[in-house]
C-alpha cells in the first residue's frame, strides 16, 4: 500500500476485481484523516506564535503518524480477509463432510472479515480524537484541514460500521455477533465527536 501510486490503487478500486473494495477504501479514508492531522502539526511545530502548544503538537504528530501507518496496514488486511471469504465459499460441497468443512471455513473467514473493519472503526475514532486535541493550538491558517481530517475519519468510521454489519449478517455464532456488536458500539459515538469538531472549526472560520 505504501509504495503503490494513488492513481493505480484507484484504478484497481474501480475495476471488476473484488479487491480492493469498500473496506480498503474505509481504511484509506482513515489514513487520509491521520495524514491531515500530521500536516497541521507540521505546519504548527516550530512557529514561535504557537510555542506554548509545541508539546501537544509533537505528541499528536507521533500519534497521527502511527495511525496512518496502521490504517495503510488495515487497507491491505481487508483485501486479504475478503479473499479468504471468497476462497471459503469456493470450497467443495459434494459430500456432507465437505459441506461441514466448507461451512466452518466460511464462518471462520467471516470472523476475520468482520475484524478488519472493526479495527478500522476503532482507528478512525482515534483519528477523530487526536484531531480534536490539536484544534486549540493549531496554526490558524490550516484549521480547516482539521475539519477535513475529522470528516475523512468519520467516513472511515461509518464505512467500517457498515462493513462489520454486512459480515455479521452472515455469521451464525450468536454470541460472537453480540460481542462484536458491543465492541462496535464503543466506537460509533466518535461520529458525533467528529461532527462537533467540524462545527467548531466552521464557527472559528466564520469569526
Amino acid at each position: 500500500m505504501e509504495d503503490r501510486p494513488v492513481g493505480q490503487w484507484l484504478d484497481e478500486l474501480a475495476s471488476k476485481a473484488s479487491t480492493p473494495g469498500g473496506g480498503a477504501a474505509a481504511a484509506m479514508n482513515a489514513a487520509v484523516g491521520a495524514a491531515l492531522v500530521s500536516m497541521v502539526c507540521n505546519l504548527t511545530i516550530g512557529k514561535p506564535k504557537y510555542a506554548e502548544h509545541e508539546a501537544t503538537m509533537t505528541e499528536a504528530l507521533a500519534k497521527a503518524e502511527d495511525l496512518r501507518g496502521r490504517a495503510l496496514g488495515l487497507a491491505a488486511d481487508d483485501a486479504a480477509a475478503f479473499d479468504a471469504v471468497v476462497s471459503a465459499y469456493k470450497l467443495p460441497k459434494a459430500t456432507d463432510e465437505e459441506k461441514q468443512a466448507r461451512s466452518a471455513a466460511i464462518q471462520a473467514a467471516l470472523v476475520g472479515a468482520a475484524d478488519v473493519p472493526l479495527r478500522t472503526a476503532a482507528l478512525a475514532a482515534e483519528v477523530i480524537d487526536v484531531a480534536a486535541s490539536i484544534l486549540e493550538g493549531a496554526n490558524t491558517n490550516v484549521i480547516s484541514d482539521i475539519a477535513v481530517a475529522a470528516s475523512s475519519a468519520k467516513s472511515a468510521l461509518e464505512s467500517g460500521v457498515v462493513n462489520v454489519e454486512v459480515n455479521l449478517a452472515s455469521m451464525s455464532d450468536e454470541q460472537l455477533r453480540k460481542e462484536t456488536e458491543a465492541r462496535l458500539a464503543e466506537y460509533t459515538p466518535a461520529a458525533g465527536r467528529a461532527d462537533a469538531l467540524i462545527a467548531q472549526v466552521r464557527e472559528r472560520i466564520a469569526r
Side-chain angles (χ1 to χ4, degrees), residues 36-44 57 134 138-139 142 145-146:
L36 284 167
V37 171
S38 292
M39 185 195 77
V40 174
C41 291
N42 280 320
L43 289 171
T44 304
M57 292 294 161
I134 65 172
N139 184 331
V142 287
D145 293 292
I146 297 176

Side-chain angles (χ1 to χ4, degrees), residues 1-206:
M1 291 302 301
E2 292 183 6
D3 300 325
R4 192 177 306 174
V6 174
Q8 178 186 333
W9 185 82
L10 289 174
D11 285 342
E12 293 172 7
L13 186 64
S15 74
K16 293 180 180 179
S18 55
T19 58
M28 290 299 283
N29 276 332
V32 168
L36 284 167
V37 171
S38 292
M39 185 195 77
V40 174
C41 291
N42 280 320
L43 289 171
T44 304
I45 293 170
K47 295 189 180 297
K49 182 179 179 180
Y50 306 102
E52 63 181 298
H53 304 288
E54 189 90 1
T56 298
M57 292 294 161
T58 301
E59 180 180 356
L61 176 59
K63 288 181 180 178
E65 288 297 280
D66 175 64
L67 290 167
R68 178 159 62 102
R70 286 163 51 197
L72 288 175
L74 285 170
D77 290 347
D78 182 81
F82 184 84
D83 287 341
V85 173
V86 172
S87 295
Y89 272 102
K90 290 180 178 178
L91 289 173
K93 51 181 178 179
T95 67
D96 288 341
E97 290 78 9
E98 287 179 345
K99 289 177 182 178
Q100 188 174 10
R102 177 177 176 273
S103 179
I106 289 171
Q107 290 303 310
L110 287 171
V111 171
D115 180 65
V116 177
L118 183 63
R119 287 187 282 138
T120 298
L123 187 146
E126 289 188 68
V127 173
I128 290 166
D129 290 339
V130 74
S133 75
I134 65 172
L135 178 59
E136 290 303 318
N139 184 331
T140 55
N141 292 322
V142 287
I143 61 167
S144 62
D145 293 292
I146 297 176
V148 179
S151 180
S152 296
K154 181 187 175 185
S155 175
L157 172 58
E158 293 176 334
S159 301
V161 169
V162 172
N163 282 300
V164 171
E165 291 173 343
V166 74
N167 287 292
L168 288 181
S170 300
M171 213 177 278
S172 60
D173 189 326
E174 188 63 28
Q175 182 60 36
L176 184 58
R177 286 178 61 181
K178 289 180 178 179
E179 290 174 0
T180 303
E181 288 168 351
R183 288 177 59 194
L184 190 61
E186 297 176 17
Y187 312 129
T188 51
R193 297 198 295 275
D195 287 337
L197 178 56
I198 293 167
Q200 284 181 278
V201 171
R202 295 180 70 182
E203 181 180 350
R204 291 191 178 207
I205 292 172

